[in-house]
C-alpha cells in the first residue's frame, strides 16, 4: 500500500487507480471552489457603489450612511467579513438580502429551481439533436447533408443569444401565437401555461448551445473514423450506421461528454442573459436585480452558485470520462 507523508501524519492512498484519480479531481474541485469564493468576495466588495448611499438616495447624510454601514457590518475588516461569510455558507446560510430583508437561501433556492428547469429542458432538447446530427453528418461526410449541417451550425454560431431570442419572439409570439411574452412563471401556474411560458427561453438556449455540441460531436466522430479498427470494420462489410454506432460512438464518448458538460454549464451561466430578456424568474434575473441596488449578499450568493454548478458539472464529466476511458486514470 502506498502512503503519503503530510505533516508527520501518514495517509493511506486509495489502491484502485480510478478511486485515486477521482479523489484527485474532487480535491482540485474543492480548492478551485474556495479560490473562486475568495475572488467573488473581493470583486463584489471592491466594486464602486454603496448600498447605504443607494438606499437613502439624495437625502443621505454621512451619519445616516455610517449608521447603515455599521448595522450591515460593512465597517468591519474585509478579512473578518469573508470568514464570517464562509462560516455562514457551511451552515447553508447566505445571510439576509439587504433590499428585501428576506433569507437569501430561501429566495435563491426557488430561483435556482426555475433556472435548473430551464437549463434541463434546453439540454433535453439540444443534446439528442446534437448527437444525432453529428452521426448524420459523419455518415454523409463531405456530401450535401454534411454541408447543410455545417452551414446551419456556422449561422447559429454567428448569432448572439439575444438576437435569437428576439427572432423567436417575432415568429412564435407575433406571427404563430404558440407562446407568451414575457415568460413569467409563478407558483400555482398550470402545467400547459408554464410550458407555454417556458417555450421561448428553452428554444433560445437550446439553439444557442446546439451548434457547439453538434460541431464537437461531428469532430469527435471524424477523429475515430480514420483509425485501423474502423477501416477493418468497413472491409468486413458492416453497415455504415452500425460501424458509427457500435465502434465510433463509444470511442468518441469522452470528448463528446466533455463538450456537452461544458455547454450544460454554459446553459446555467448563460441563462442570465436569456432570463433578463424574457423576464424569467431565475437566478440570473435575481442577480441582475440585486446588482442594480448593490445587494451584496445576493450577488455573492448568485456568483458562488454559478461557480459551484460550473465546477460540479465539469467534475461530473471528468468522472464519467475516466469511467468510460481507462487511459485517463493513469497520468503520463
Amino acid at each position: 500500500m502506498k502512503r503519503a507523508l503530510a505533516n508527520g501524519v501518514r495517509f493511506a492512498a486509495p489502491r484502485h487507480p480510478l478511486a485515486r484519480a477521482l479523489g484527485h479531481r474532487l480535491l482540485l474541485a474543492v480548492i478551485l471552489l474556495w479560490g473562486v469564493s475568495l475572488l467573488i468576495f473581493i470583486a463584489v466588495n471592491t466594486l464602486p457603489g454603496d448600498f447605504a448611499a443607494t438606499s437613502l438616495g439624495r437625502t443621505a447624510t454621512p451619519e445616516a450612511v455610517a449608521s447603515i454601514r455599521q448595522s450591515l457590518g460593512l465597517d468591519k475588516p474585509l478579512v473578518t467579513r469573508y470568514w464570517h461569510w464562509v462560516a455562514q455558507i457551511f451552515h447553508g446560510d447566505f445571510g439576509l438580502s439587504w433590499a428585501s430583508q428576506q433569507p437569501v437561501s430561501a429566495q435563491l433556492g426557488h430561483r435556482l429551481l426555475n433556472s435548473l428547469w430551464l437549463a434541463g429542458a434546453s439540454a433535453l432538447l439540444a443534446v439528442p439533436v446534437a448527437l444525432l446530427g453529428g452521426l448524420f453528418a459523419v455518415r454523409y461526410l463531405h456530401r450535401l447533408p454534411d454541408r447543410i449541417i455545417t452551414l446551419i451550425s456556422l449561422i447559429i454560431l454567428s448569432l448572439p443569444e439575444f438576437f435569437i431570442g428576439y427572432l423567436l419572439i417575432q415568429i412564435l409570439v407575433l406571427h404563430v401565437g404558440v407562446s407568451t411574452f414575457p415568460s413569467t412563471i409563478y407558483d400555482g401556474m398550470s402545467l400547459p401555461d408554464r410550458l407555454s411560458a417556458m417555450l421561448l427561453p428553452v428554444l433560445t438556449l437550446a439553439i444557442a448551445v446546439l451548434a457547439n455540441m453538434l460541431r464537437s460531436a461531428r469532430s469527435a466522430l471524424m477523429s475515430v473514423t480514420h483509425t485501423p479498427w474502423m477501416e477493418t470494420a468497413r472491409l468486413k462489410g458492416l453497415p455504415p450506421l452500425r460501424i458509427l454506432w457500435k465502434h465510433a460512438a463509444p470511442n468518441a464518448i469522452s470528448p463528446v461528454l466533455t463538450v456537452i458538460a461544458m455547454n450544460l454549464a454554459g446553459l446555467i451561466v448563460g441563462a442570465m442573459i436569456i432570463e433578463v430578456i424574457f423576464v424569467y424568474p431565475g437566478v440570473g434575473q435575481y442577480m441582475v436585480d440585486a446588482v442594480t441596488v448593490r445587494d451584496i449578499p445576493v450577488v455573492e450568493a448568485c456568483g458562488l452558485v454559478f461557480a459551484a454548478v460550473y465546477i460540479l458539472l465539469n467534475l461530473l464529466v471528468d468522472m464519467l470520462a475516466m469511467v468510460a476511458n481507462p487511459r485517463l486514470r493513469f497520468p503520463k
Side-chain angles (χ1 to χ4, degrees):
M1 176 185 297
K2 293 184 178 180
R3 293 177 180 273
L5 291 175
N7 296 326
V9 179
R10 296 167 70 86
F11 295 97
R15 285 184 176 181
H16 199 282
L18 179 59
R20 188 164 54 245
L22 294 179
H24 181 67
R25 293 288 198 282
L26 186 61
L27 178 62
L28 287 178
V30 172
I31 295 173
L32 182 59
L33 187 58
W34 172 75
V36 170
S37 75
L38 188 62
L39 287 175
I40 289 173
F41 187 84
I42 293 174
V44 171
N45 283 276
T46 54
L47 286 174
D50 185 87
F51 174 78
T54 303
S55 61
L56 291 173
R58 295 182 179 180
T59 62
T61 62
E63 294 78 13
V65 171
S67 176
I68 291 180
R69 288 180 59 82
Q70 185 178 9
S71 65
L72 297 176
L74 294 176
D75 57 332
K76 296 178 181 177
L78 203 61
V79 176
T80 304
R81 288 158 50 197
Y82 173 72
W83 289 117
H84 177 67
W85 179 59
V86 172
Q88 280 185 319
I89 293 173
F90 275 110
H91 291 87
D93 180 15
F94 286 103
L96 291 178
S97 165
W98 293 352
S100 65
Q101 291 300 306
Q102 298 294 319
V104 175
S105 302
Q107 295 180 333
L108 187 60
H110 184 69
R111 298 291 190 122
L112 181 61
L113 188 61
N114 288 342
S115 291
L116 291 177
W117 270 108
L118 182 62
S122 304
L124 284 177
L125 186 63
V127 171
V129 173
L131 294 178
L132 291 176
L135 279 172
F136 192 71
V138 174
R139 168 65 182 85
Y140 297 99
L141 193 62
H142 304 313
R143 293 159 68 180
L144 183 59
D146 179 38
R147 296 181 191 280
I148 293 175
I149 290 175
T150 303
L151 179 63
I152 293 175
S153 302
L154 288 174
I155 292 174
I156 293 175
L157 281 175
S158 65
L159 297 176
E161 293 176 355
F162 69 88
F163 187 75
I164 297 174
Y166 290 137
L167 279 179
L168 291 177
I169 291 172
Q170 185 75 21
I171 297 171
L172 298 181
V173 178
L174 299 180
H175 292 283
V176 183
V178 297
S179 186
T180 59
F181 180 81
S183 304
T184 304
I185 61 173
Y186 50 86
D187 292 336
M189 197 174 188
S190 65
L191 183 60
D193 290 342
R194 183 180 287 260
L195 292 177
S196 175
M198 290 178 62
L199 180 61
L200 282 175
V202 166
L203 280 179
T204 306
L205 268 180
I207 292 174
V209 300
L210 177 62
N212 265 330
M213 287 186 183
L214 201 156
R215 287 173 62 84
S216 302
R218 177 181 178 274
S219 300
L221 288 169
M222 279 181 59
S223 66
V224 298
T225 53
H226 301 294
T227 51
W229 68 80
M230 291 289 293
E231 187 63 27
T232 303
R234 280 191 287 269
L235 291 175
K236 285 182 177 179
L238 295 177
L241 281 179
R242 184 180 174 187
I243 294 174
L244 287 173
W245 185 254
K246 191 173 181 180
H247 298 281
N251 287 283
I253 192 67
S254 179
V256 170
L257 276 177
T258 303
V259 173
I260 288 176
M262 292 186 69
N263 280 279
L264 291 180
L267 277 176
I268 301 290
V269 180
M272 180 187 298
I273 299 173
I274 303 301
E275 290 174 1
V276 172
I277 292 174
F278 293 104
V279 201
Y280 184 81
V283 179
Q285 179 72 55
Y286 187 41
M287 186 175 182
V288 171
D289 293 341
V291 168
T292 57
V293 295
R294 308 291 193 273
D295 195 346
I296 288 180
V298 175
V299 178
E300 290 172 342
C302 292
L304 191 62
V305 166
F306 279 136
V309 170
Y310 200 92
I311 291 171
L312 283 175
L313 281 174
N314 280 282
L315 176 65
L316 179 63
V317 169
D318 281 349
M319 291 180 171
L320 290 176
M322 282 188 287
V323 171
N325 188 353
R327 289 175 297 181
L328 298 177
R329 305 171 196 170
F330 302 95
K332 294 179 180 178

